[in-house]
Amino acid sequence: MRRPRPAFRRITAVVGCAAMLLAGCGGGQPASGGRVSGVEKTTLSVAVLPLVDDAPLYVGLAAGVFTDLGLDVRPTVVKTGSEAVKLIAEGKVDVAVSSNTTIIMAASEATPVRIVAEASLASHRSVDVLVRPDSGIESVRDLPGKRFAVGNLTCTCLLAVRARIRNLGVDPATVTFVAVPQKEMPEALRTRRVDAVVTYEPWVTVAQTQFGARELFDPVSGPTAGLPLHSYIVNAAFARAN
């Protein structure tokens, strides 16, 4: 039976996100009605992932948080954090959300990115490792030789999964990790393209309700609890100019 998932407590991140966007647009003082004067750039394109982690941005849009501050925020959904980083590097979006390890690895290769705000921290069952109900995989010790889907091969979840299965007695080198966009995780698992996936909401619920996917373990518990997962980034030139 599917256990109830904890309520997500990231709504307060809306305020932080708004502050981040304003920080990237200049230091004007609030004008009448709560608006900010002297904003250098009022229309901002934001690359987001199809995950519940980005829900606060949409809550902020629905609540008029950005409009009240003089900002026109336009989200664009991308498939992977690597795609988001690429769009930032090419100057095709103003702000993006990506996995922290993807960002750090890109920066190490001289990609002009700057982290401007935290987007999400791992909390209990905010990320899940799922298998098919008939997979025969009953524990981490059944993973050697299996195909395991991760969002991309530089994502923070891969780091968490490798650390967690090592702590549970399995050599990560015996597992084949493959890149699958988060939106495709349920179908990849259902059609046996992979034997296990690590994914977020809403795809956990999709997989569980559509074909009874079963949780194998929580990758962000124990030593990986509270792991910083995603951050908001901008292009270094954008940061200097604004």
Side-chain angles (χ1 to χ4, degrees):
M1 178 180 292
R2 178 177 177 272
R3 289 181 292 167
R5 300 183 65 77
F8 285 90
R9 291 171 290 184
R10 298 193 180 97
I11 302 306
T12 54
V14 172
V15 177
C17 185
M20 175 275 295
L21 291 172
L22 286 171
C25 295
Q29 296 301 312
S32 59
R35 293 182 177 275
V36 174
S37 61
V39 175
E40 297 166 8
K41 184 175 176 59
T42 57
T43 300
L44 294 171
S45 55
V46 184
V48 297
L49 298 168
L51 306 173
V52 76
D53 288 33
D54 295 336
L57 180 67
Y58 292 96
V59 173
L61 287 169
V65 171
F66 303 112
T67 302
D68 288 347
L69 294 171
L71 296 173
D72 178 10
V73 175
R74 302 179 181 183
T76 299
V77 178
V78 297
K79 287 185 177 181
T80 68
S82 295
E83 182 183 351
V85 169
K86 185 172 186 290
L87 290 173
I88 284 289
E90 295 174 350
K92 293 182 178 179
V93 297
D94 300 310
V95 185
V97 179
S98 187
S99 165
N100 285 325
T101 50
T102 299
I103 296 166
I104 292 167
M105 290 178 72
S108 73
E109 297 172 352
T111 304
V113 295
R114 295 290 183 273
I115 293 176
V116 291
E118 184 177 85
S120 65
L121 293 173
S123 59
H124 179 53
R125 300 190 76 241
S126 60
V127 185
D128 264 339
V129 171
L130 304 177
V131 296
R132 292 184 305 277
D134 60 350
S135 66
I137 301 174
E138 300 298 330
S139 74
V140 171
R141 295 188 180 278
D142 296 321
L143 287 176
K146 299 297 192 294
R147 287 172 61 82
F148 197 125
V150 295
N152 65 68
L153 297 179
T154 62
C155 68
T156 309
C157 273
L158 173 57
L159 181 70
V161 167
R162 289 175 61 88
R164 193 75 181 110
I165 65 177
R166 182 183 290 112
N167 290 332
L168 294 172
V170 171
D171 182 356
T174 63
V175 181
T176 300
F177 293 100
V178 296
V180 175
Q182 289 293 338
K183 189 175 181 179
E184 300 174 18
M185 289 286 190
E187 187 65 5
L189 186 61
R190 186 188 69 81
T191 58
R192 302 176 186 272
R193 281 173 51 199
V194 295
D195 303 296
V197 303
V198 58
T199 191
Y200 306 75
E201 290 291 4
W203 312 116
V204 172
T205 295
V206 169
Q208 290 178 327
T209 56
Q210 286 187 352
F211 57 93
R214 176 168 48 83
E215 182 188 60
L216 185 65
F217 67 93
D218 181 352
V220 289
S221 59
T224 53
L227 186 69
L229 293 176
H230 299 99
S231 291
Y232 286 97
I233 57 174
V234 297
N235 188 291
F238 179 91
R240 290 192 296 270
N242 297 277

